[in-house]
Amino acid sequence: MRIEFNTISSEQTKALGEFVSSFFTAGDVVLLKGDLGAGKTTFVGGVAKGLEIKEDVISPTFNIMKCYFKGKLPMYHIDAYRLENMSIEIGLDEYIEGDGVCLIEWPQYILPLIPDDHLDITLLNKGDNHRHIVFESDSTHFSELIEGLRRFSL
Ligand code: ADP
Ligand code: MG
């Protein structure tokens, strides 16, 4: 299943994140793909808002992972960018399919840790404030979320 959107502001990308957050449950794994500046962290900010997490979401690039425990559901935000070409095990598996939703930027660098059951979100910078955002999953677990998005308008 697949659905795509075109956003024209970071607020619209956040609104998508906020909307889908209501579908997330403990153990969900969400992969965020796309180049630097595509809007992955911005999207996670929207998810945090939907989960009623009051803290600002900042890029976890330098500490690999940030945990947010004060919302409706624990949120684990991983940025695996700095793990490129490193074959180190730093215990991330505890948070992937753990007791919260886990959102992962640069998942290609930790592929062995990614379960088959996941939601893919690909963001593409189309210039200026335009972003193309594709939601895709082979897992029936995310069919409700994707069907839900069909009723969502920006
Ligand atoms: P990434 O995590 O993919 O590197 P960020 O979310 O950190 O990207 O940065 C995206 C940047 O692009 C932010 O400065 C944001 O304000 C800007 N931006 C402009 N338009 C959009 C949009 N439509 N969606 C998301 N971000 C946007
Ligand atoms: Mg980022």
Side-chain angles (χ1 to χ4, degrees):
M1 285 157 297
R2 170 190 169 100
I3 186 164
E4 44 191 65
F5 292 87
N6 290 297
T7 66
I8 57 167
S9 66
S10 50
E11 287 71 28
Q12 286 195 343
T13 297
K14 277 189 196 159
L16 271 170
E18 189 176 352
F19 179 80
V20 299
S21 73
S22 65
F23 292 90
F24 291 147
T25 54
D28 283 357
V29 177
V30 181
L31 310 187
L32 292 156
K33 300 175 180 173
D35 290 338
L36 216 62
K40 303 179 294 296
T41 300
T42 300
F43 179 88
V44 176
V47 172
K49 184 168 181 225
L51 294 177
E52 295 174 11
I53 292 165
K54 305 281 186 270
E55 294 152 83
D56 283 339
V57 170
I58 50 154
S59 174
T61 304
F62 293 100
N63 23 18
I64 315 294
M65 184 173 74
K66 281 214 68 185
C67 303
Y68 299 87
F69 294 113
K70 290 184 180 155
K72 291 195 274 190
L73 182 71
M75 184 178 90
Y76 303 111
H77 183 196
I78 294 174
D79 185 330
Y81 190 70
R82 294 200 335 139
L83 296 179
E84 183 181 12
N85 303 326
M86 275 189 235
S87 53
I88 53 165
E89 167 57 69
I90 55 169
L92 289 175
D93 51 324
E94 196 182 318
Y95 302 95
I96 298 171
E97 294 190 293
D99 62 355
V101 57
C102 184
L103 299 122
I104 308 173
E105 301 187 32
W106 303 97
Q108 56 269 49
Y109 298 142
I110 53 167
L111 274 187
L113 299 180
I114 306 299
D116 288 342
D117 206 358
H118 62 255
L119 173 68
D120 260 306
I121 305 178
T122 306
L123 300 95
L124 187 69
N125 189 337
K126 305 288 276 183
D128 296 329
N129 295 332
H130 294 242
R131 301 290 188 274
H132 184 69
I133 305 177
V134 182
F135 296 80
E136 222 170 354
S137 185
D138 295 331
S139 163
T140 53
H141 179 73
F142 291 105
S143 51
E144 232 180 280
L145 180 151
I146 290 175
E147 285 309 316
L149 277 170
R150 295 191 203 288
R151 296 185 301 274
F152 179 75
S153 53
L154 286 163

